[in-house]
PDB file of all heavy atoms in Angstrom:
ATOM      1  N   GLY A 122      -4.318  13.814  13.428  1.00  0.00           N
ATOM      2  CA  GLY A 122      -5.578  13.497  12.775  1.00  0.00           C
ATOM      3  C   GLY A 122      -6.303  14.662  12.164  1.00  0.00           C
ATOM      4  O   GLY A 122      -7.464  14.535  11.802  1.00  0.00           O
ATOM      5  N   GLY A 123      -5.672  15.801  12.028  1.00  0.00           N
ATOM      6  CA  GLY A 123      -6.262  16.921  11.293  1.00  0.00           C
ATOM      7  C   GLY A 123      -7.673  17.288  11.708  1.00  0.00           C
ATOM      8  O   GLY A 123      -7.905  18.029  12.645  1.00  0.00           O
ATOM      9  N   ALA A 124      -8.637  16.722  11.005  1.00  0.00           N
ATOM     10  CA  ALA A 124     -10.044  17.079  11.213  1.00  0.00           C
ATOM     11  C   ALA A 124     -10.546  16.703  12.596  1.00  0.00           C
ATOM     12  O   ALA A 124     -11.587  17.180  13.029  1.00  0.00           O
ATOM     13  CB  ALA A 124     -10.899  16.380  10.156  1.00  0.00           C
ATOM     14  N   PHE A 125      -9.820  15.870  13.306  1.00  0.00           N
ATOM     15  CA  PHE A 125     -10.282  15.416  14.614  1.00  0.00           C
ATOM     16  C   PHE A 125      -9.709  16.271  15.747  1.00  0.00           C
ATOM     17  O   PHE A 125      -9.922  15.990  16.916  1.00  0.00           O
ATOM     18  CB  PHE A 125      -9.896  13.958  14.840  1.00  0.00           C
ATOM     19  CG  PHE A 125     -10.590  13.015  13.895  1.00  0.00           C
ATOM     20  CD1 PHE A 125      -9.962  12.588  12.740  1.00  0.00           C
ATOM     21  CD2 PHE A 125     -11.863  12.562  14.155  1.00  0.00           C
ATOM     22  CE1 PHE A 125     -10.597  11.725  11.860  1.00  0.00           C
ATOM     23  CE2 PHE A 125     -12.508  11.697  13.288  1.00  0.00           C
ATOM     24  CZ  PHE A 125     -11.868  11.280  12.141  1.00  0.00           C
ATOM     25  N   LYS A 126      -8.952  17.290  15.418  1.00  0.00           N
ATOM     26  CA  LYS A 126      -8.235  18.049  16.436  1.00  0.00           C
ATOM     27  C   LYS A 126      -9.139  18.670  17.486  1.00  0.00           C
ATOM     28  O   LYS A 126      -8.800  18.695  18.665  1.00  0.00           O
ATOM     29  CB  LYS A 126      -7.467  19.199  15.767  1.00  0.00           C
ATOM     30  CG  LYS A 126      -6.104  18.859  15.267  1.00  0.00           C
ATOM     31  CD  LYS A 126      -5.447  20.135  14.758  1.00  0.00           C
ATOM     32  CE  LYS A 126      -4.173  19.843  14.022  1.00  0.00           C
ATOM     33  NZ  LYS A 126      -3.543  21.051  13.491  1.00  0.00           N
ATOM     34  N   ASP A 127     -10.288  19.221  17.060  1.00  0.00           N
ATOM     35  CA  ASP A 127     -10.986  20.109  17.974  1.00  0.00           C
ATOM     36  C   ASP A 127     -11.569  19.417  19.194  1.00  0.00           C
ATOM     37  O   ASP A 127     -11.506  19.967  20.297  1.00  0.00           O
ATOM     38  CB  ASP A 127     -12.085  20.882  17.231  1.00  0.00           C
ATOM     39  CG  ASP A 127     -13.080  19.972  16.532  1.00  0.00           C
ATOM     40  OD1 ASP A 127     -12.773  18.768  16.383  1.00  0.00           O
ATOM     41  OD2 ASP A 127     -14.143  20.441  16.120  1.00  0.00           O
ATOM     42  N   ARG A 128     -12.099  18.241  19.081  1.00  0.00           N
ATOM     43  CA  ARG A 128     -12.730  17.587  20.238  1.00  0.00           C
ATOM     44  C   ARG A 128     -12.015  16.314  20.670  1.00  0.00           C
ATOM     45  O   ARG A 128     -12.402  15.706  21.673  1.00  0.00           O
ATOM     46  CB  ARG A 128     -14.193  17.266  19.901  1.00  0.00           C
ATOM     47  CG  ARG A 128     -15.057  18.494  19.643  1.00  0.00           C
ATOM     48  CD  ARG A 128     -16.507  18.128  19.371  1.00  0.00           C
ATOM     49  NE  ARG A 128     -16.626  17.300  18.174  1.00  0.00           N
ATOM     50  CZ  ARG A 128     -16.920  16.000  18.194  1.00  0.00           C
ATOM     51  NH1 ARG A 128     -17.118  15.384  19.353  1.00  0.00           N
ATOM     52  NH2 ARG A 128     -17.023  15.318  17.078  1.00  0.00           N
ATOM     53  N   PHE A 129     -11.018  15.899  19.936  1.00  0.00           N
ATOM     54  CA  PHE A 129     -10.318  14.652  20.244  1.00  0.00           C
ATOM     55  C   PHE A 129      -8.891  14.973  20.696  1.00  0.00           C
ATOM     56  O   PHE A 129      -8.182  15.704  20.020  1.00  0.00           O
ATOM     57  CB  PHE A 129     -10.255  13.742  19.003  1.00  0.00           C
ATOM     58  CG  PHE A 129     -11.584  13.211  18.562  1.00  0.00           C
ATOM     59  CD1 PHE A 129     -12.515  14.022  17.933  1.00  0.00           C
ATOM     60  CD2 PHE A 129     -11.903  11.880  18.775  1.00  0.00           C
ATOM     61  CE1 PHE A 129     -13.745  13.522  17.523  1.00  0.00           C
ATOM     62  CE2 PHE A 129     -13.123  11.361  18.364  1.00  0.00           C
ATOM     63  CZ  PHE A 129     -14.045  12.189  17.743  1.00  0.00           C
TER      64      PHE A 129
END
Side-chain angles (χ1 to χ4, degrees):
Chain A
F125 295 96
K126 273 185 190 178
D127 57 345
R128 296 182 298 108
F129 293 73

